Amino acid sequence: MMSDLFFTLTELHVMFLKKNTKKQKKTAMQHLSWIQIILKVLLRRAQVRENLDKLSPALEDYKKVLEIDSTQCKALEAVSRLPKQIEIQQEKMKRRVYSKT
């Protein structure tokens, strides 16, 4: 799970607010930077997959985004929208297979 690999944003926020050393605060800020970069990459990949009609992998990417940051609006919207689109896509594929036989 993605959340196992990274500090959650809340944990980093608490770590930053505590009276820690400058080095610990710097480390926390670096983790936050990396998390933001990873979120952007996952969102972009999900959008590309969705544009290529690879809806199931796109949905998985959006879910990973939400594991890291549950407030991402694009991911929330996609996770609610994509399951229905995946179902429609699968029905179309079934019809194609049955029409060929």
Side-chain angles (χ1 to χ4, degrees):
M1 247 186 185
M2 292 292 287
S3 58
D4 293 338
L5 299 175
F6 306 105
F7 286 107
T8 63
L9 294 174
T10 305
E11 289 170 332
L12 285 170
H13 184 71
V14 169
M15 185 176 163
F16 185 75
L17 290 177
K18 286 182 179 178
K19 293 183 179 180
N20 291 324
T21 66
K22 287 182 181 180
K23 185 177 179 182
Q24 288 171 322
K25 287 182 181 181
K26 183 179 178 182
T27 301
M29 291 305 293
Q30 287 172 339
H31 282 280
L32 284 171
S33 296
W34 281 108
I35 288 172
Q36 292 304 316
I37 291 168
I38 290 166
L39 284 172
K40 287 179 186 177
V41 169
L42 284 171
L43 279 170
R44 286 185 187 140
R45 185 172 75 174
Q47 291 167 343
V48 167
R49 285 177 165 178
E50 190 174 349
N51 290 337
L52 294 173
D53 277 339
K54 296 181 178 184
L55 302 180
S56 293
L59 179 60
E60 294 306 312
D61 283 344
Y62 285 123
K63 286 179 179 180
K64 288 176 187 174
V65 167
L66 292 176
E67 285 179 21
I68 298 169
D69 181 2
S70 62
T71 64
Q72 288 286 327
C73 295
K74 287 182 183 180
L76 287 167
E77 184 269 329
V79 166
S80 65
R81 175 179 44 80
L82 283 179
K84 181 67 176 170
Q85 288 182 330
I86 291 170
E87 186 179 320
I88 292 168
Q89 186 182 52
Q90 289 172 343
E91 288 298 320
K92 286 180 183 177
M93 290 182 75
K94 283 180 188 177
R95 278 189 245 132
R96 274 192 223 140
V97 168
Y98 289 130
S99 68
K100 289 182 182 180
T101 56

